[in-house]
């Protein structure tokens, strides 16, 4: 078999199973193996990667090159996210602002956009909490099952994007996904017809194509995963709170970490109501958690 008979094409990895990568090339899926050079270089292709593959007449296709990633989530391994959709229930379970803030910070740190969706707003409204995150410059939505207007607003915002959904059990994540993308047939508490397996039994990540983008199916992708496997460095943490940006250069001291320092413009903004008190409290708690962690321990 000669090189002349091979065709190099570009596609996106949508699934990894048993050492085989499944690459979507213009709506056709090719089963591929990764070249040994990736192992030698300490690299691994992951779901979401844009790659070049060689198509061989004998069907033994291979991944030749990983194209540049715009971001990378370590757990679960997923690349090139356009949005991380954080689903928060207004009741049962109640919202936890520290958890929300850890998730938004992690999303900002890897270079993707956190979208916040408050569910079950037909049971309990959350206008004040939604306002906190809208003013923190995150796309924020309220949603209830069966409310097509709120579903349409989220669907339109995510159009054309590669998105992953995250949320604790019981927040209505599966119901939201089912409302947004009914063609995927992801039924709450049932076996997915599309996947052919239970929603919470897999350890793998898989992308499913919608009309205009991709949805990452990530069973087991809980808030604990992200908290445990993505810690923001203390020097970068302030930049993961977008509402701080207008004040960072206004502090009296350039070394200000915005905790309790004199002349801190961020603290002044909190006192004036320009920055949410709960957001700043989360920042302080997160800073204290990571301040003694060495940079190499964050990976």
């Amino acid at each position: 078999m000669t090189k002349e008979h091979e065709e190099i094409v570009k596609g996106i990895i949508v699934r990894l199973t048993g050492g085989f990568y499944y690459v979507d090339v213009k709506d056709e899926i090719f089963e591929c193996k990764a070249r040994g050079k990736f192992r030698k270089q300490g690299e691994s292709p992951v779901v979401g990667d844009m790659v070049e593959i060689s198509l061989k007449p004998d069907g033994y296709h291979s991944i030749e090159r990983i194209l540049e990633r715009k971001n990378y989530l370590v757990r679960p391994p997923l690349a090139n996210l356009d949005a991380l959709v954080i689903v928060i229930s207004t009741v049962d379970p109640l919202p936890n602002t520290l958890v929300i803030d850890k998730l938004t910070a992690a999303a900002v740190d890897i270079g993707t956009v956190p979208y916040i969706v408050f569910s079950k707003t037909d049971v309990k409204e959350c206008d004040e909490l939604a306002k906190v995150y809208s003013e923190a410059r995150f796309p924020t939505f309220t949603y209830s099952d069966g409310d097509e207007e709120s579903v349409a607003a989220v669907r339109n915002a995510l159009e054309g994007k590669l998105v992953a959904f995250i949320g604790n059990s019981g927040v209505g994540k599966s119901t939201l996904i089912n409302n947004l993308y009914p063609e995927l047939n992801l039924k709450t508490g049932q076996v997915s017809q599309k996947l052919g397996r239970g929603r919470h039994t897999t350890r793998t990540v898989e992308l499913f194509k919608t009309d205009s983008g991709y949805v990452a199916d990530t069973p087991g992708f809980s808030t604990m995963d992200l908290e445990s496997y993505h810690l923001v460095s203390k020097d970068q943490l302030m930049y993961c709170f977008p509402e701080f940006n207008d004040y960072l250069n206004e502090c009296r001291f350039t070394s200000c970490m915005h905790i309790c320092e004199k002349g801190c413009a961020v603290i002044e903004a909190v006192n004036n109501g320009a920055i949410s008190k709960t957001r700043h409290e989360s920042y302080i708690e997160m800073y204290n958690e990571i301040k003694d962690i060495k940079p190499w321990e964050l990976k």
Side-chain angles (χ1 to χ4, degrees):
M1 193 65 60
T2 63
K3 290 286 184 181
E4 287 75 12
H5 293 93
E6 298 179 8
E7 179 184 4
I8 302 296
V9 297
K10 294 180 181 179
I12 182 172
I13 298 175
V14 295
R15 181 161 47 105
L16 166 61
T17 303
F20 287 95
Y21 296 84
Y22 295 84
V23 181
D24 183 352
V25 179
K26 298 179 180 178
D27 293 329
E28 187 172 359
I29 305 297
F30 294 94
E31 183 183 82
C32 304
K33 293 288 285 186
R35 294 286 298 273
K37 65 180 181 181
F38 294 116
R39 191 182 310 108
K40 294 177 182 177
Q41 296 168 355
E43 296 180 305
S44 294
V46 300
V47 171
D49 268 331
M50 297 298 300
V51 294
E52 287 185 351
I53 65 174
S54 62
L55 300 181
K56 303 179 177 67
D58 60 6
Y60 289 94
H61 313 311
S62 61
I63 296 176
E64 301 293 331
R65 186 162 76 97
I66 303 171
L67 302 183
E68 184 177 357
R69 293 169 176 162
K70 65 181 178 182
N71 55 50
Y72 173 60
L73 192 63
V74 175
R75 176 95 176 216
L78 185 61
N80 298 317
L81 273 176
D82 294 313
L84 181 65
V85 182
I86 303 166
V87 185
I88 307 296
S89 173
T90 59
V91 292
D92 192 27
L94 292 170
N96 183 317
T97 54
L98 178 60
V99 169
I100 301 172
D101 297 335
K102 284 185 174 184
L103 297 175
T104 59
V108 173
D109 192 49
I110 68 167
T112 193
V113 179
Y115 283 64
I116 300 175
V117 179
F118 289 98
S119 66
K120 305 181 185 179
T121 54
D122 55 325
V123 179
K124 182 180 179 181
E125 294 184 350
C126 62
D127 292 346
E128 287 301 314
L129 192 55
K131 182 181 178 183
V132 167
Y133 290 95
S134 179
E135 291 182 346
R137 307 177 187 178
F138 299 127
T140 304
F141 304 86
T142 57
Y143 145 84
S144 60
D145 185 22
D147 179 6
E148 181 52 38
E149 184 176 349
S150 63
V151 172
V154 179
R155 184 190 297 120
N156 292 338
L158 299 178
E159 185 175 2
K161 294 179 170 58
L162 192 164
V163 302
F165 290 76
I166 183 171
N168 283 335
S169 297
V171 298
K173 177 167 63 78
S174 297
T175 302
L176 172 60
I177 295 173
N178 193 51
N179 279 317
L180 292 172
Y181 312 108
E183 68 273 18
L184 299 185
N185 294 314
L186 303 182
K187 303 299 184 181
T188 306
Q190 297 179 7
V191 174
S192 161
Q193 297 175 29
K194 186 91 173 185
L195 300 179
R197 61 172 185 261
R199 291 285 295 135
H200 301 288
T201 59
T202 181
R203 294 178 179 272
T204 63
V205 184
E206 189 162 359
L207 292 185
F208 290 95
K209 201 163 192 176
T210 65
D211 289 340
S212 60
Y214 287 93
V215 174
D217 173 55
T218 56
F221 182 17
S222 67
T223 54
M224 288 304 298
D225 285 322
L226 200 55
E227 288 179 76
S228 301
Y229 291 95
H230 189 94
L231 292 173
V232 182
S233 72
K234 65 180 180 182
D235 294 329
Q236 289 299 312
L237 183 61
M238 68 184 78
Y239 303 109
C240 295
F241 285 71
E243 68 271 42
F244 288 14
N245 290 344
D246 292 341
Y247 308 98
L248 295 179
N249 294 324
E250 304 299 323
C251 297
R252 181 184 302 176
F253 304 107
T254 57
S255 60
C256 184
M257 295 310 298
H258 323 295
I259 304 297
C260 58
E261 298 87 342
K262 291 183 178 180
C264 175
V266 170
I267 293 176
E268 183 178 351
V270 174
N271 293 335
N272 293 337
I275 291 176
S276 162
K277 183 178 180 181
T278 62
R279 289 276 291 166
H280 188 245
E281 288 172 347
S282 291
Y283 170 80
I284 293 174
E285 186 161 346
M286 292 166 66
Y287 183 88
N288 287 332
E289 286 178 1
I290 62 178
K291 65 181 179 180
D292 296 323
I293 299 178
K294 303 295 187 291
W296 60 85
E297 295 177 317
L298 293 173
K299 301 301 182 182

